[in-house]
Amino acid sequence: MCGIVGYIGNKKAKPILIDGLKKLEYRGYDSAGIAILNSGEINVVKSKGRIAVLEDKLKDISLEGTIGIGHTRWATHGEPSDINSHPHISKNGKIAVVHNGIIENYIQIKEFLLAKGYQFKSETDTEVIAHLIEYNYEGDLIKAVIKTLNELEGAYALGVLSTDNPDMFVAAKKDSPLIVGLGQNENYIASDIPAILKYTRDILILEEKEVACISSDKVEIYNLLGEKQQREVFHVDWDVSAAEKGGFEHFMIKEIFEEPAAIKATISPRIKDNEIVLDNLIITDEIINNCEKIHIIACGTAYHAGVVGKYIIEKLARIPVEVEVASEFRYRDPIINEKHFTIVISQSGETLDTLMAMREAKKKGSLTFAIVNVVGSSIAREADDVLYTWAGPEIAVASTKAYNTQLAALYLLALTFAKRKGLLDQHSYLNYLSQLQELPNMITSVLNEKKEIQKFASEHFNAKSIFYIGRGLDYALSMEGSLKLKEISYIHSEAYAGGELKHGTIALIEEGTLVVASLTQEQLFEKMIGNVREVKARGAVVLAIAQEKNADEVAKIADAVITIPNVDSVLAPIVAVTTMQLFAYYVAVMKGNEVDKPRNLAKSVTVE
Ligand code: M6R
């Protein structure tokens, strides 16, 4: 979703803004622009399309200023166009604004401003902010921004530049991410750390409804009452290389290959002396023993991790789990009481639907527990407790290693709950722990099968439609496999429970239809063999995913088999998903698609 960068210091702002925007490309965008303050004038250059188009436009324009703001826009209000791109300028040309989020009462504000003689050039909600700041301005920019923010409803991360204030710019945040980077006689703002990591590792994380006044030598933070706020500096300890491709063709494939290390980082520090140790876990024995229901809330891939979470928590800990996409949970007045608790799952920790759903659960009195990848993100900060997935930065829009590590975190939780409820004997518990620690090696052996997966992808990348089928945890896995494929290959795909096929979907199977069948679940193996026979009998081409020990049997009926190492059925999805991620990746590459930045998608979905 939209990306924001800002700079003030003694270097030329233009290359820093462009470089920062490029680092935010992964968030998804359809236009880009910058505003630079120079000799008392704000110069705005913006254009529809990729940053390369903006760079081309900038080639012949000399912009010397050392203070500026930049933006990549993911259209919400108004089509992608030069005019609708940010920055937007106020009526008198003295104020420029970049914005991420949606202003919900922009129509009322627009009507008010129209009545005051303001005219609008764009169809965006953002333009009202620029005009309203101008309207509220009485010589103090911070005061004008605070007054304006108190009049806005909705979500925002903002950068505001003004000709009257050549030595500072203003940033603000509510429900959309924004950080401040601290340099030596220069400071930055950005939607995400990778945009400024090249220049600084010291950052300030803005809290909800905070405004920052950023000069080259100081940063002051205020709340919306105008009171000064103190903030500790957060030091980023991951390396710049973690957010770069490092020799891989795409971030997605690099991130798939990082899965063994990411899983190890998530699991290993939490197993000590044959025991899972989740420091200061807020979910006490009493809560677990009295828990009547767990709610899991998430979106997209994180939701699919939640579906696996439901199966494993119910199986191991015998606690009923309801899993729901955040955008539905939020508006259906869910029934929650103090004997329930809520797990939210999010890679970015900034997904607005998930954040809002978590707030809804909290409001209803539920304890909230977050499984999050990005340290210091809004969901991580607002949840009652957080278990970080140590996947490192995930840049590709298609989530891969984050999913595996979300599953790893859910296994740790499910086993902890089961153990504390006395439902797991020591032998089974230790067996799970030893297999958990083996997962990185198992995934490495799946990665070693990339050639076969690539070959199969090269034979089927022209498929019109691909079905994913599985039973139990394999059905949950199929949902994720199918999503991965559709988001980067643009091939229509659906996931079905194997047993459900004959209730309708099997009508779609005809000669040559590609079906990806998962047969990793021991107790459902024979049933799935039956389902594979059913689709084969109707002409389907079947790519099967099976445990090594069953590979020969599956090979008798499937057209191709990708094997995963022998593993307990409960743990199979975390290993098997890698085969599906690789398949989706190679299909998308064969189709020549922009794998890391698929059309219409954004990495961090910070609007509803
Ligand atoms: O950052 P989050 O995990 O909260 O993001 C949730 C979804 O937007 C995300 O998983 C999305 O579905 C990805 N594009 C999947 O690859």
Side-chain angles (χ1 to χ4, degrees):
M1 220 118 274
C2 307
I4 290 177
V5 189
Y7 173 76
I8 181 162
N10 44 31
K11 302 189 189 106
K12 281 190 191 171
K14 181 172 101 174
I16 294 171
L17 296 179
I18 294 292
D19 182 65
L21 291 181
K22 283 183 179 165
K23 295 276 175 1
L24 294 177
E25 277 192 296
Y26 73 91
R27 294 170 67 82
Y29 71 104
D30 43 52
S31 49
I34 59 173
I36 289 179
L37 181 54
N38 195 25
S39 312
E41 211 178 278
I42 294 176
N43 299 114
V44 174
V45 184
K46 53 187 189 174
S47 65
K48 177 184 164 184
R50 293 286 173 202
I51 293 169
V53 180
L54 175 68
E55 278 183 298
D56 208 41
K57 234 179 177 175
L58 283 164
K59 247 187 351 224
D60 305 320
I61 306 173
S62 147
L63 293 173
E64 301 294 319
T66 61
I67 167 172
I69 50 179
H71 190 263
T72 47
R73 173 175 188 252
W74 190 85
T76 56
H77 294 62
E79 57 167 9
S81 68
D82 288 5
I83 297 256
N84 287 335
S85 311
H86 301 207
H88 290 282
I89 289 281
S90 70
K91 186 173 76 167
N92 62 13
K94 290 179 141 203
I95 290 163
V97 170
V98 290
H99 167 224
N100 173 16
I102 289 179
I103 302 306
E104 284 161 6
N105 60 340
Y106 85 102
I107 295 199
Q108 293 91 307
I109 297 175
K110 195 168 179 175
E111 279 164 5
F112 168 81
L113 289 167
L114 282 168
K116 298 281 174 200
Y118 285 81
Q119 283 168 357
F120 289 79
K121 295 190 181 116
S122 76
E123 301 156 273
T124 65
D125 51 339
T126 302
E127 197 180 349
V128 303
I129 307 176
H131 293 315
L132 194 57
I133 295 174
E134 178 187 310
Y135 179 78
N136 286 328
Y137 185 69
E138 288 173 353
D140 184 330
L141 184 62
I142 281 280
K143 278 194 180 150
V145 171
I146 290 176
K147 182 155 196 290
T148 300
L149 297 182
N150 279 311
E151 290 164 5
L152 298 182
E153 283 165 23
Y156 53 76
L158 287 180
V160 182
L161 200 60
S162 136
T163 54
D164 284 358
N165 299 270
D167 299 324
M168 60 96 137
F169 67 94
V170 174
K173 169 207 149 71
K174 176 181 170 267
D175 299 333
S176 287
L178 199 69
I179 52 149
V180 179
L182 305 174
Q184 292 289 328
N185 291 320
E186 55 187 1
N187 289 310
Y188 308 79
I189 58 166
S191 297
D192 201 358
I193 295 168
I196 53 171
L197 197 55
K198 190 165 152 187
Y199 312 107
T200 179
R201 286 165 173 279
D202 290 332
I203 64 167
L204 301 175
I205 298 173
L206 293 185
E207 300 280 351
E208 289 303 283
K209 299 187 186 174
E210 282 188 342
V211 182
C213 173
I214 296 153
S215 322
S216 52
D217 57 353
K218 66 172 191 293
V219 175
E220 287 171 338
I221 300 176
Y222 301 89
N223 63 16
L224 290 194
L225 297 172
E227 297 162 339
K228 247 193 196 169
Q229 305 295 299
Q230 295 306 320
R231 189 63 25 84
E232 299 233 325
V233 175
F234 174 79
H235 188 74
V236 180
D237 54 9
W238 44 269
D239 201 57
V240 182
S241 64
E244 284 172 357
K245 280 190 209 151
F248 285 87
E249 200 183 336
H250 299 103
F251 279 110
M252 182 175 172
I253 190 72
K254 174 184 178 240
E255 287 159 7
I256 294 174
F257 272 79
E258 284 170 349
E259 285 171 4
I263 289 171
K264 192 165 182 213
T266 304
I267 291 176
S268 292
R270 285 150 175 159
I271 298 184
K272 292 173 193 151
D273 302 328
N274 288 329
E275 190 81 38
I276 297 171
V277 182
L278 302 175
D279 289 332
N280 306 319
L281 185 67
I282 201 171
I283 309 165
T284 58
D285 290 5
E286 197 193 336
I287 294 174
I288 293 167
N289 284 316
N290 293 330
C291 179
E292 285 177 353
K293 192 193 269 183
I294 295 175
H295 298 266
I296 300 185
I297 316 168
C299 301
T301 286
Y303 165 75
H304 294 151
V307 179
V308 173
K310 171 185 167 70
Y311 278 91
I312 61 176
I313 293 172
E314 289 189 343
K315 182 177 170 64
L316 298 173
R318 308 306 297 158
I319 304 171
V321 179
E322 206 171 285
V323 54
E324 195 165 359
V325 289
S327 52
E328 287 299 311
F329 177 91
R330 191 183 161 192
Y331 291 111
R332 77 171 170 88
D333 194 12
I335 299 167
I336 306 184
N337 66 40
E338 65 288 354
K339 289 196 170 167
H340 298 184
F341 69 85
T342 304
I343 299 175
V344 294
I345 309 174
S346 174
Q347 186 284 130
S348 62
E350 299 292 352
T351 302
L352 195 67
D353 284 325
T354 311
L355 178 64
M356 293 303 183
M358 182 177 85
R359 286 184 188 161
E360 179 69 17
K362 250 188 163 181
K363 206 164 76 192
K364 290 191 156 27
S366 171
L367 197 70
T368 54
F369 183 89
I371 295 174
V372 170
N373 193 39
V374 176
V375 176
S377 54
S378 302
I379 293 174
R381 289 199 316 272
E382 287 190 32
D384 294 311
D385 197 359
V386 58
L387 184 64
Y388 282 111
T389 52
W390 296 115
E394 192 181 67
I395 307 291
V397 166
S399 194
T400 53
K401 63 177 178 171
Y403 174 85
N404 301 62
T405 56
Q406 284 158 356
L407 294 197
L410 286 162
Y411 288 129
L412 294 174
L413 278 184
L415 288 167
T416 303
F417 297 165
K419 181 84 188 311
R420 291 198 189 166
K421 284 185 79 179
L423 294 173
L424 262 186
D425 60 66
Q426 189 66 1
H427 175 75
S428 315
Y429 181 69
L430 291 180
N431 186 28
Y432 277 123
L433 294 203
S434 99
Q435 289 201 49
L436 276 180
Q437 286 162 304
E438 263 307 297
L439 289 174
N441 292 336
M442 294 188 197
I443 292 178
T444 303
S445 55
V446 169
L447 293 172
N448 290 337
E449 285 189 84
K450 71 171 192 174
K451 284 258 154 55
E452 290 95 278
I453 299 174
Q454 190 172 13
K455 181 170 171 288
F456 195 80
S458 70
E459 289 160 2
H460 294 281
F461 72 96
N462 277 326
K464 288 273 165 294
S465 191
I466 302 183
F467 294 94
Y468 284 71
I469 60 170
R471 284 170 175 254
L473 278 169
D474 277 337
Y475 174 41
L477 168 72
S478 298
M479 291 180 190
E480 177 54 13
S482 170
L483 174 67
K484 214 57 16 192
L485 181 88
K486 64 188 127 190
E487 65 183 335
I488 57 170
S489 74
Y490 316 142
I491 294 175
H492 167 260
S493 170
E494 301 294 340
Y496 289 100
E500 186 64 13
L501 282 178
K502 55 189 164 300
H503 298 287
T505 314
I506 204 155
L508 295 172
I509 306 291
E510 54 189 14
E511 202 58 40
T513 305
L514 185 56
V515 174
V516 178
S518 298
L519 300 98
T520 74
Q521 297 299 296
E522 216 40 34
Q523 73 286 14
L524 294 163
F525 182 73
E526 292 304 334
K527 298 276 173 215
M528 269 308 292
I529 289 279
N531 293 137
V532 172
R533 284 192 200 286
E534 280 166 9
V535 293
K536 280 299 299 173
R538 284 151 183 92
V541 174
V542 174
L543 169 63
I545 295 155
Q547 298 205 28
E548 233 161 63
K549 60 186 169 197
N550 296 321
D552 290 344
E553 190 178 341
V554 176
K556 288 181 195 150
I557 51 167
D559 296 87
V561 186
I562 303 296
T563 57
I564 63 165
N566 296 333
V567 62
D568 188 287
S569 297
V570 165
L571 299 176
I574 194 172
V575 185
V577 74
T578 306
T579 64
M580 296 186 174
Q581 296 163 344
L582 286 171
F583 177 64
Y585 172 75
Y586 288 120
V587 167
V589 169
M590 292 302 298
K591 293 190 80 176
N593 293 354
E594 267 203 81
V595 175
D596 286 336
K597 288 171 273 176
R599 69 184 182 205
N600 305 339
L601 295 181
K603 180 68 182 166
S604 184
V605 185
T606 51
V607 295
E608 269 198 78

